[in-house]
Amino acid sequence: KAEFTLLNEFENRIQKELETQNALTLKDLKLNGNDIKSLFNVQGKTIGNVLSYLLEEVIEDPSLNDRDKLINLTKLFLSKLS
């Protein structure tokens, strides 16, 4: 019974995400790899790592999918790498 409840909760969460059309892929982010490259002068894997981080943050809190907020999150992420 507990497994069914967890599965049902998971299905409800997925349905909610689909209905709100929040960012579920990198293409849904309001900041892309080219933006990150030009704004922060980073390349390659670093861009991919930033985008993965941003996507995780936006999935947890969809209100973060705003260009200015994503730029600030990128600054925070890159500062932790230094």
Side-chain angles (χ1 to χ4, degrees):
K1 186 176 181 176
E3 289 178 16
F4 178 75
T5 302
L6 288 174
L7 181 59
N8 195 24
E9 289 174 8
F10 182 66
E11 287 175 348
N12 288 339
R13 183 174 176 202
I14 291 172
Q15 186 61 39
K16 182 179 173 186
E17 289 296 321
L18 292 173
E19 288 171 1
T20 57
Q21 297 183 352
N22 292 326
L24 296 174
T25 69
L26 296 177
K27 290 182 180 184
D28 298 323
L29 293 174
K30 302 294 183 194
L31 195 69
N32 64 39
N34 290 329
D35 297 326
I36 294 167
K37 183 177 180 178
S38 65
L39 291 168
F40 298 99
N41 196 30
V42 293
Q43 299 179 24
K45 287 184 179 181
T46 302
I47 293 172
N49 291 338
V50 169
L51 289 170
S52 294
Y53 166 75
L54 294 178
L55 183 60
E56 287 179 30
E57 294 297 310
V58 169
I59 287 172
E60 287 296 316
D61 181 358
S63 71
L64 295 175
N65 196 16
D66 169 85
R67 184 175 169 81
D68 292 333
K69 290 178 183 177
L70 293 176
I71 289 171
N72 287 331
L73 283 172
T74 301
K75 288 178 188 175
L76 177 67
F77 180 82
L78 292 175
S79 72
K80 291 179 181 179
L81 295 180
S82 301

